[in-house]
Coordinates of all heavy atoms in Angstrom, one line a residue:
I6 N 8.6 14.3 -4.4 CA 9.3 14.1 -3.1 C 8.5 13.4 -2.2 O 9.0 12.4 -1.4 CB 9.8 15.4 -2.7 CG1 11.0 16.0 -3.5 CG2 10.4 15.3 -1.3 CD1 11.4 17.5 -3.3
K7 N 7.1 13.8 -2.0 CA 6.3 13.2 -1.0 C 6.0 11.7 -1.4 O 6.0 10.9 -0.5 CB 4.9 14.0 -1.0 CG 5.2 15.3 -0.2 CD 3.7 16.0 -0.1 CE 3.9 17.3 0.4 NZ 2.5 18.0 0.5
M8 N 5.8 11.5 -2.7 CA 5.7 10.2 -3.2 C 6.8 9.2 -2.8 O 6.7 8.0 -2.4 CB 5.2 10.1 -4.6 CG 3.8 10.7 -5.0 SD 3.5 10.7 -6.7 CE 3.8 9.0 -7.1
T9 N 8.0 9.8 -3.1 CA 9.2 9.0 -2.8 C 9.4 8.7 -1.3 O 9.8 7.6 -1.0 CB 10.5 9.8 -3.4 OG1 10.3 10.0 -4.8 CG2 11.8 8.9 -3.2
M10 N 9.2 9.7 -0.7 CA 9.3 9.5 0.9 C 8.3 8.5 1.3 O 8.5 7.5 2.2 CB 9.0 10.8 1.6 CG 10.2 11.7 1.5 SD 10.0 13.3 2.3 CE 9.5 12.9 4.0
G11 N 7.0 8.5 0.8 CA 5.9 7.6 1.1 C 6.4 6.0 0.9 O 6.2 5.1 1.6
L12 N 7.0 5.9 -0.4 CA 7.4 4.6 -0.8 C 8.5 4.1 0.1 O 8.6 3.0 0.4 CB 7.8 4.6 -2.3 CG 6.8 4.8 -3.3 CD1 7.2 4.9 -4.7 CD2 5.8 3.6 -3.2
G13 N 9.4 5.1 0.5 CA 10.6 4.7 1.4 C 9.9 4.3 2.8 O 10.5 3.2 3.3
I14 N 9.0 4.9 3.3 CA 8.4 4.6 4.6 C 7.8 3.2 4.4 O 7.8 2.3 5.3 CB 7.4 5.6 5.0 CG1 8.1 6.8 5.4 CG2 6.5 5.0 6.2 CD1 7.3 8.1 5.6
M15 N 7.1 2.9 3.3 CA 6.5 1.5 3.0 C 7.5 0.4 3.1 O 7.3 -0.7 3.6 CB 5.6 1.5 1.9 CG 4.3 2.3 2.1 SD 3.3 2.2 0.7 CE 3.7 3.6 -0.4
A16 N 8.7 0.7 2.4 CA 9.7 -0.2 2.3 C 10.2 -0.6 3.7 O 10.4 -1.6 4.1 CB 10.8 0.3 1.4
L17 N 10.5 0.5 4.5 CA 10.9 0.3 5.9 C 9.9 -0.5 6.6 O 10.2 -1.3 7.6 CB 11.2 1.6 6.5 CG 12.4 2.5 6.0 CD1 12.5 3.8 6.7 CD2 13.7 1.7 6.4
A18 N 8.6 -0.2 6.5 CA 7.6 -0.9 7.3 C 7.6 -2.5 6.8 O 7.4 -3.2 7.7 CB 6.3 -0.4 6.9
A19 N 7.8 -2.8 5.6 CA 7.9 -4.1 5.0 C 9.0 -4.7 5.8 O 8.9 -6.0 6.2 CB 8.0 -4.2 3.5
Q20 N 10.2 -4.1 5.9 CA 11.4 -4.7 6.6 C 11.0 -5.1 8.0 O 11.2 -6.1 8.7 CB 12.6 -3.8 6.6 CG 13.2 -3.7 5.3 CD 14.3 -2.7 5.4 OE1 14.3 -1.8 6.2 NE2 15.3 -2.7 4.5
Q21 N 10.3 -4.2 8.7 CA 9.9 -4.4 10.2 C 8.8 -5.5 10.3 O 9.0 -6.3 11.2 CB 9.3 -3.1 10.7 CG 10.2 -2.0 10.9 CD 11.4 -2.4 11.9 OE1 11.2 -2.9 12.8 NE2 12.6 -2.1 11.4
L22 N 8.1 -5.7 9.2 CA 7.1 -6.8 9.4 C 7.7 -8.1 9.3 O 7.3 -9.0 9.9 CB 6.0 -6.6 8.2 CG 5.0 -5.6 8.5 CD1 4.1 -5.4 7.2 CD2 4.0 -6.0 9.7
Q23 N 8.8 -8.2 8.5 CA 9.5 -9.6 8.4 C 10.1 -9.9 9.7 O 10.2 -11.1 10.1 CB 10.5 -9.5 7.3 CG 9.9 -9.3 5.9 CD 10.9 -9.4 4.8 OE1 12.1 -9.3 5.0 NE2 10.4 -9.5 3.7
A24 N 10.4 -8.9 10.5 CA 11.1 -9.1 11.9 C 10.0 -9.3 12.9 O 10.2 -10.2 13.8 CB 11.9 -7.9 12.3
Q25 N 8.8 -8.7 12.8 CA 7.8 -8.9 13.9 C 6.5 -9.0 13.2 O 5.7 -8.1 13.1 CB 7.8 -7.6 14.8 CG 9.1 -7.2 15.4 CD 9.1 -6.0 16.3 OE1 8.1 -5.2 16.1 NE2 10.1 -5.7 16.7
P26 N 6.1 -10.1 12.8 CA 4.7 -10.3 12.1 C 3.5 -10.1 13.0 O 3.4 -10.9 14.0 CB 4.7 -11.6 11.5 CG 6.0 -12.4 12.0 CD 6.8 -11.3 12.6
R27 N 3.0 -8.9 13.0 CA 1.7 -8.7 13.9 C 0.5 -8.3 12.9 O 0.8 -7.9 11.7 CB 2.0 -7.6 14.8 CG 3.1 -7.8 15.8 CD 3.3 -6.7 16.7 NE 3.8 -5.6 16.0 CZ 4.1 -4.4 16.5 NH1 3.6 -4.1 17.5 NH2 4.6 -3.4 15.7
N28 N -0.6 -8.4 13.4 CA -1.7 -8.1 12.4 C -1.6 -8.8 11.1 O -1.9 -8.2 10.1 CB -1.9 -6.6 12.2 CG -2.1 -5.8 13.7 OD1 -2.8 -6.2 14.4 ND2 -1.5 -4.7 13.5
C29 N -1.3 -10.0 11.2 CA -1.1 -10.9 10.0 C -2.2 -12.1 10.0 O -2.6 -12.4 10.9 CB 0.3 -11.4 9.9 SG 1.5 -10.2 9.9
A30 N -2.5 -12.5 8.6 CA -3.4 -13.6 8.5 C -3.2 -14.1 7.0 O -2.4 -13.3 6.3 CB -4.8 -13.0 8.6
P31 N -3.8 -15.1 6.7 CA -3.7 -15.7 5.3 C -4.2 -14.4 4.3 O -5.2 -13.7 4.6 CB -4.5 -16.9 5.3 CG -4.6 -17.4 6.7 CD -4.5 -16.2 7.5
R32 N -3.6 -14.4 3.2 CA -3.9 -13.4 2.3 C -5.4 -13.4 1.8 O -6.0 -12.3 1.9 CB -3.1 -13.5 1.0 CG -3.3 -12.4 0.1 CD -2.2 -12.3 -1.1 NE -2.2 -11.2 -2.0 CZ -3.2 -11.0 -2.9 NH1 -4.1 -11.9 -3.1 NH2 -3.2 -9.8 -3.5

Side-chain angles (χ1 to χ4, degrees):
I6 291 170
K7 287 180 183 178
M8 289 174 55
T9 302
M10 288 177 58
L12 290 173
I14 290 168
M15 286 186 271
L17 289 172
Q20 288 176 337
Q21 292 299 318
L22 283 174
Q23 289 182 354
Q25 304 173 357
R27 298 179 290 171
N28 298 323
C29 302
R32 186 172 188 281

